Amino acid sequence: AATKPEDATTKPEEATTGSETATADASDEDELDLEAALKKEVSSLQAADKPGSGAHNRPARRFQVVRCTTSNNLFFRSTLSDPLPTLIMAMDDILSTKQQQTKYLVRLLPVHTICRAYHDNIEKAFGTFVTERLKGKQKTFYLNIRITSNNSMKKDELLGIALKVLQELAPECKPVLTKDADIAINITVLVQNCYIGEAPLFLSKYKRYNLMELASPDPETVVVNKEEKNSDTSASSASGIVQHSNTSDLLKNKDELVSASVDQNDSNVQCTESSVSEKDCSETTQQNVEAVQDEVHDTNDSTDVNPGSS
């Protein structure tokens, strides 16, 4: 009862400081928990990636590089149920922006089925692939078969196996050898494995899934730019012709001026020559007059000397 009211209660400033301290302590604990969780995850991943741990014990990642003994090829394992939509989205982005998103990656192909490179295994795996993705659908297809580093498989044999399975399980699908095919069925044999995948619009829109070709400008755009360049060149040449004509007019006027000045000079020369000739004529006339006068004086003198002679 004797305590003052301000001493009995906590000041507002002290209460605010206490709450901020509690919040800071809680955030520090959260940061420590997050760092500890990250360190724990990194250590578990490093332990799983050790050579002694089996591949089946490693944690599944969304995209994981797979070791391959074939040169110039790179494989990715993915947890996606179908890698095709992601790949289509990436290629559409390259087509719209016309920007090359990779520096060394040339072609990116989807793989839906993997088996050992033997006839029986390929026929069985291809039958499963056709049943899951093409059965009951009316599509035109194009068979793209490639064999690398394998001498036991022949392209004609794979072609026969693929056509046989397609005829039995998906008779509605028809083979096409042009760019009008709806999908391409890629059958790739590398060393001892066979990779099978579906690639829509393989020959037409997506240019064999070549990422560098997708980033290159379209031929129509190149033609339009070329026409614009030609039009600019023709316009510049036309301006050059006009300038040349103007220059020729100036030269023509200059020639006229020069000829006029030359004609005027000629007239002056003629006038001068005429004046000179008149001067000469006057001098000659004066000389003739003086000569006549001298003769007259001589005659008078002779008359005065002999007045008697007649």
Side-chain angles (χ1 to χ4, degrees), residues 112-147:
H112 296 96
T113 303
I114 303 174
C115 65
R116 301 293 288 179
Y118 299 105
H119 293 81
D120 296 338
N121 296 341
I122 293 175
E123 184 174 356
K124 183 179 179 180
F126 191 73
T128 304
F129 167 80
V130 172
T131 302
E132 293 178 354
R133 306 192 67 88
L134 299 177
K135 189 174 182 179
K137 299 180 181 179
Q138 295 181 357
K139 291 185 177 182
T140 56
F141 64 88
Y142 168 81
L143 287 174
N144 183 30
I145 301 175
R146 293 175 58 248
I147 301 175

Side-chain angles (χ1 to χ4, degrees), residues 26-40:
S27 61
D28 292 339
E29 292 179 359
D30 293 339
E31 291 180 358
L32 291 175
D33 294 340
L34 182 59
E35 291 180 359
L38 288 175
K39 290 181 180 179
K40 184 178 180 181

Side-chain angles (χ1 to χ4, degrees), residues 233-254:
T233 305
S234 61
S236 61
S237 62
S239 63
I241 293 172
V242 173
Q243 183 178 4
H244 178 70
S245 63
N246 294 333
T247 305
S248 63
D249 294 338
L250 293 175
L251 292 175
K252 185 177 180 181
N253 295 331
K254 184 178 180 181

Side-chain angles (χ1 to χ4, degrees), residues 59-118:
R61 302 180 185 177
R62 191 175 186 186
F63 294 100
Q64 176 66 44
V65 178
V66 180
R67 295 180 181 178
C68 179
T69 57
T70 307
S71 60
N72 300 326
N73 287 275
L74 189 64
F75 288 87
F76 291 91
R77 181 190 292 114
S78 175
T79 58
L80 300 174
S81 59
D82 187 2
L84 188 58
T86 304
L87 176 57
I88 294 296
M89 188 181 300
M91 291 191 297
D92 287 337
D93 180 69
I94 296 175
L95 279 174
S96 61
T97 59
K98 291 299 179 182
Q99 293 182 358
Q100 185 177 339
Q101 302 294 341
T102 59
K103 188 174 182 180
Y104 301 106
L105 183 60
V106 179
R107 200 183 309 275
L108 188 60
L109 298 174
V111 177
H112 296 96
T113 303
I114 303 174
C115 65
R116 301 293 288 179
Y118 299 105

